[in-house]
Amino acid sequence: ASFLATLGPGELLGFVLDSTFFGKFILFVLLVLSVMSWAVYFDKVRLLKRIRDGHQEFWKRCETWLENPAAGRGDLEAWSRDNADLPLAGLILETEGLTQWPAIRRASERVAYLEIENLERYLILLSTAVTISPFLGLLGTVWGIMSSFWGMASMQSANLTVVAPGIAEALVTTIAGLATAIPAVIFYNMVVRKIDLVGNELDRLRTILEEDAGGEAAPAGRDTGLRHDLHDRESI
């Protein structure tokens, strides 16, 4: 640790340039995985932020409809048509004109499946980075140590100039593997949780629409307008 703490960017770059072809290949693969992880994360953050802002406005209009069901949901449907790219708006448009709760449920489940599938696109890149980055770093570590032993065997010596390049390569690949895997696992968990919240909102809206249609999902003696439950501690 004290040795690594004394290294600057120039020394690390020198270790990379002096590493073997196999070590450079591992570092290149880790660099590609890291770039993809950050790109997917920023793309999902931008998308989920837009959905969060749009859903906040949607629930405000939904509350207006629930407070005055006799007025119908024409305003909510009109707003949804102007924001059809939002998951909740898509659900409203898909169930527009449906009056039977089984049909509403089938349409809602179809929309929810497609929306969640779209939000989970490219998450395989994050999960791949999480899974293989530590192993690539470990592979580079083993390769660097083996290079040190090969150097000692060929030079018939165990001095620092012989073993240092291999050990340095092992340390650099280990750092690169961890530097790729740690952000990727954080990004993956955050994005998956936010997507789960979108799925929960779709389920709540489906329940509202089913109860508004007088479906069997509505408990006896309860208003047909079921208000959505907001997250007290967490939002998209």
Side-chain angles (χ1 to χ4, degrees):
S2 59
F3 169 71
L4 292 176
T6 62
L7 297 179
E11 288 79 3
L12 289 175
L13 180 60
F15 287 149
V16 172
L17 296 177
D18 294 337
S19 60
T20 62
F21 173 79
F22 187 71
K24 291 177 182 177
F25 175 75
I26 291 178
L27 292 174
F28 175 75
V29 173
L30 289 172
L31 176 62
V32 172
L33 289 173
S34 180
V35 171
M36 289 192 305
S37 298
W38 283 90
V40 170
Y41 174 70
F42 283 119
D43 178 69
K44 295 302 179 182
V45 166
R46 178 187 57 81
L47 175 61
L48 290 169
K49 182 181 184 304
R50 181 175 57 81
I51 292 176
R52 179 192 63 193
D53 296 339
H55 282 189
Q56 288 177 349
E57 179 63 24
F58 176 90
W59 285 121
K60 291 178 182 178
R61 295 177 180 270
C62 186
E63 281 290 334
T64 302
W65 166 52
L66 293 176
E67 290 172 358
N68 187 18
R73 63 183 202 188
D75 179 69
L76 183 61
E77 291 175 349
W79 184 89
S80 298
R81 279 190 287 271
D82 294 334
N83 300 272
D85 56 336
L86 296 175
L88 294 181
L91 181 52
I92 286 291
L93 296 178
E94 188 70 18
T95 57
E96 185 177 2
L98 300 179
T99 58
Q100 300 297 320
W101 74 265
I104 292 176
R105 172 166 293 186
R106 289 193 297 270
S108 300
E109 290 177 348
R110 181 170 62 252
V111 171
Y113 175 80
L114 293 175
E115 291 291 348
I116 296 302
E117 184 180 43
N118 182 61
L119 290 175
E120 289 179 346
R121 187 179 302 172
Y122 303 126
L123 284 187
I124 186 64
L125 298 177
L126 282 179
S127 61
T128 300
V130 170
T131 304
I132 71 173
S133 294
F135 292 105
L136 287 175
L138 179 61
L139 179 61
T141 302
V142 174
W143 183 266
I145 294 175
M146 289 175 58
S147 297
S148 296
F149 283 114
W150 288 335
M152 286 189 293
S154 61
M155 299 295 293
Q156 298 291 317
S157 173
N159 59 53
L160 186 60
T161 59
V162 175
V163 301
I167 294 177
E169 180 177 338
L171 293 174
V172 169
T173 52
T174 302
I175 294 172
L178 294 176
T180 302
I182 292 175
V185 72
I186 295 174
F187 297 160
Y188 181 81
N189 291 333
M190 290 175 60
V191 171
V192 167
R193 177 54 187 163
K194 301 304 182 182
I195 292 175
D196 288 342
L197 293 178
V198 175
N200 292 341
E201 288 194 312
L202 289 168
D203 288 339
R204 292 199 300 273
L205 181 58
R206 185 201 68 188
T207 304
I208 292 173
L209 297 177
E210 287 181 6
E211 295 195 3
D212 181 65
E216 64 181 16
R222 188 171 184 177
D223 287 337
T224 57
L226 175 65
R227 299 177 185 276
H228 66 285
D229 298 324
L230 294 175
H231 292 280
D232 294 332
R233 301 180 180 179
E234 197 168 11
S235 62
I236 300 172

